[in-house]
């Protein structure tokens, strides 16, 4: 990497960037939707990427026709049931589920002294990184339960930078969700989006998949 580089940290989203647990979120929400008689497609599941559990449930209930009214307590019970199903499913996660290029990219960051953070909206993030065998690679894993605001608020990325002791302007954030990219930009960081080229108007760099993450290339774009 270029010695003049001012990059100090890379802060990752988890679901859709480090591993693909979106399928397990889909299966768990699908089971709840079937029970409630609400249609729930894979396409609709895309809207839930990076969205908190309770907000995901609200979006899902908003699909019902005629609309279904639930008390806060009932919604909490539904969200808890979804989470129990999800937690069963993620027991299958192993280090083989790291997305392509992630182990190499993380190794390159470590070799170059770039700090590594995790900024996931998932309350299950720690369990997932433990099952992936990469917990010790992260210098900071933000505890989302301690935050006040969800993505696209920048709080989660700013918390990661503050915990790492780095200037947000010297950080790259990597995300697969529009709300996440907007959170990175609101934190004054350089945003790398993973996914469709047309889907992220605010990203600084868009890569089709994680195999394209390359520190040398990103460092050049960053500086
Ligand atoms: P949980 P990320 C997000 O993770 C997922 O993309 C989103 O689908 C999920 O609803 C959210 O975490 C909350 O997850 O129910 O486990 O707390 O993409 O920010 O890593
Ligand atoms: Mg994500």
């Amino acid at each position: 990497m270029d010695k003049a580089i001012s990059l100090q940290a890379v802060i990752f989203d988890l679901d859709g960037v480090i591993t693909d647990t979106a399928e397990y979120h889909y299966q768990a929400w699908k089971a709840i939707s079937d029970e409630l008689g609400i249609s729930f497609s894979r396409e609709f599941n895309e809207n839930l990427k990076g969205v908190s559990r309770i907000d995901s449930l609200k979006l899902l209930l908003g699909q019902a026709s005629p609309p279904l009214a639930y008390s806060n307590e009932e919604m909490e019970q539904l969200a808890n049931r979804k989470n129990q199903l999800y937690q069963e499913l993620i027991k299958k996660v192993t280090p083989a589920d790291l997305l392509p290029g992630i182990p190499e990219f993380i190794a390159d960051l470590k070799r170059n002294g770039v700090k590594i953070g995790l900024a996931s909206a998932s309350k299950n993030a720690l369990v997932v990184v433990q099952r992936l065998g990469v917990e010790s690679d992260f210098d900071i894993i933000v505890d989302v339960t301690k935050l006040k605001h969800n993505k696209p608020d920048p709080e989660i990325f700013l918390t990661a930078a503050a915990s790492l002791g780095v200037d947000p302007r010297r950080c790259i954030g990597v995300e697969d969700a529009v709300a996440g990219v907007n959170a990175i930009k609101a934190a004054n960081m350089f945003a790398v989006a993973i996914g469709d080229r047309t889907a992220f108007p605010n990203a600084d760099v868009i890569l089709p998949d994680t195999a394209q993450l390359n520190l040398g290339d990103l460092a050049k774009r960053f500086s």
Side-chain angles (χ1 to χ4, degrees):
M1 193 172 69
D2 187 336
K3 285 198 187 101
I5 186 70
S6 55
L7 176 64
Q8 292 184 332
V10 173
I11 301 170
F12 292 89
D13 174 45
L14 176 63
D15 294 338
V17 173
I18 302 285
T19 191
D20 192 4
T21 35
E23 174 63 24
Y24 297 141
H25 282 295
Y26 167 75
Q27 288 178 22
W29 282 128
K30 175 83 175 123
I32 298 288
S33 307
D34 286 351
E35 228 176 81
L36 300 175
I38 301 175
S39 77
F40 185 76
S41 63
R42 284 180 185 278
E43 198 184 8
F44 182 75
N45 189 53
E46 290 297 303
N47 299 325
L48 308 186
K49 283 188 174 171
V51 177
S52 73
R53 195 180 311 156
I54 199 74
D55 286 345
S56 298
L57 176 63
K58 287 176 185 165
L59 287 174
L60 187 154
L61 294 177
Q63 287 266 95
S65 168
L68 298 170
Y70 285 91
S71 67
N72 285 346
E73 202 190 335
E74 286 169 327
M75 286 206 287
E76 206 168 301
Q77 281 169 6
L78 287 171
N80 285 343
R81 281 237 314 289
K82 180 269 174 178
N83 195 44
Q84 283 163 4
L85 295 170
Y86 180 70
Q87 286 178 333
E88 263 316 300
L89 291 165
I90 58 175
K91 285 184 182 158
K92 295 185 213 165
V93 173
T94 73
D97 294 310
L98 284 166
L99 282 171
I102 291 295
E104 296 80 2
F105 186 54
I106 286 178
D108 213 6
L109 293 173
K110 286 162 99 82
R111 259 195 308 277
N112 284 280
V114 179
K115 291 182 177 168
I116 304 173
L118 190 75
S120 169
S122 174
K123 291 178 182 161
N124 295 293
L126 186 58
V127 176
V128 173
V129 289
Q130 283 169 342
R131 295 207 58 85
L132 290 167
V134 292
E135 182 187 0
S136 63
D137 289 327
F138 290 93
D139 299 296
I140 176 71
I141 295 174
V142 177
D143 179 357
V144 72
T145 63
K146 303 241 159 69
L147 305 181
K148 290 195 179 68
H149 307 290
N150 297 324
K151 300 170 186 175
D153 188 279
E155 184 182 16
I156 193 165
F157 285 96
L158 291 175
T159 302
S163 306
L164 292 169
V166 297
D167 183 336
R169 288 168 301 182
R170 300 210 170 170
C171 297
I172 289 178
V174 189
E175 263 286 354
D176 71 319
V178 172
V181 167
N182 291 341
I184 295 170
K185 291 315 296 173
N188 276 320
M189 296 181 184
F190 185 92
V192 175
I194 306 294
D196 191 280
R197 204 166 51 86
T198 59
F200 301 98
N202 298 329
D204 296 294
V205 168
I206 305 172
L207 302 174
D209 54 61
T210 52
Q212 311 305 316
L213 284 166
N214 177 283
L215 181 56
D217 292 346
L218 288 179
K220 272 188 216 136
R221 304 284 294 270
F222 176 79
S223 52

